């Protein structure tokens, strides 16, 4: 199983940007798809973005399309989520996940999460 550690969360004003990072260890990260989920208090977990092991397949949740960009650096066992034009409704704990393919991310390995708070 791959271990994941997220970082980069914080407090930002609406309209601002943040970049989340996810560092993997334990297994060959380049063999795994990875992605991001988020969960706000009292809400269900939401898929944010996913990227295949080679970066060819990229998917976004409808609520972040055009504002968020997922990327990965296999040489450094890392994945990223660039978040622009942030809105208060983006406030949540963001989790990094890894699995064999993007569609299996929800059942894969997860990190501990990083808090993102967007003030209005």
């Amino acid at each position: 199983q791959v271990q994941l550690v997220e970082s980069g969360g914080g407090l930002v004003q609406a309209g601002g940007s943040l970049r989340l990072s996810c560092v993997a260890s334990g297994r060959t990260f380049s063999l795994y798809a990875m992605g991001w989920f988020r969960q706000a208090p009292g809400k269900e977990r939401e898929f944010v973005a996913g990227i295949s092991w080679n970066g060819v397949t990229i998917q976004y949740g409808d609520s972040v399309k055009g504002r968020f960009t997922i990327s990965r650096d296999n040489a450094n066992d890392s994945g990223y989520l660039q978040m622009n034009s942030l809105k208060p409704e983006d406030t949540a704990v963001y989790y990094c996940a890894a699995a064999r393919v993007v569609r299996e991310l929800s059942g894969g390995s997860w990190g501990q999460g990083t808090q993102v708070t967007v003030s209005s």
Side-chain angles (χ1 to χ4, degrees):
Q1 212 173 20
V2 62
Q3 287 78 49
L4 304 167
V5 178
E6 305 95 333
S7 63
L11 173 64
V12 64
Q13 288 188 332
S17 298
L18 279 175
R19 188 190 194 211
L20 304 184
S21 298
C22 174
V23 178
S25 63
R27 290 291 182 95
T28 305
F29 178 68
S30 60
L31 298 179
Y32 287 78
M34 62 87 57
W36 296 89
F37 292 79
R38 67 186 183 185
Q39 188 163 25
K43 295 188 177 181
E44 293 186 353
R45 184 179 63 190
E46 178 185 12
F47 171 77
V48 175
I51 184 169
S52 60
W53 68 273
N54 57 2
V56 171
T57 299
I58 293 178
Q59 298 177 6
Y60 293 100
D62 289 341
S63 62
V64 306
K65 284 180 181 176
R67 299 188 298 122
F68 290 11
T69 302
I70 189 171
S71 62
R72 64 186 299 157
D73 179 356
N74 287 341
N76 289 300
D77 294 333
S78 297
Y80 307 98
L81 184 68
Q82 178 67 42
M83 306 185 294
N84 298 330
S85 302
L86 283 162
K87 305 175 182 179
E89 50 264 44
D90 293 318
T91 296
V93 177
Y94 283 71
Y95 298 91
C96 176
R100 189 177 60 90
V101 293
V102 172
R103 66 177 181 272
E104 296 178 356
L105 284 172
S106 62
S109 300
W110 285 61
Q112 83 289 348
T114 186
Q115 176 70 48
V116 171
T117 302
V118 184
S119 63
S120 57

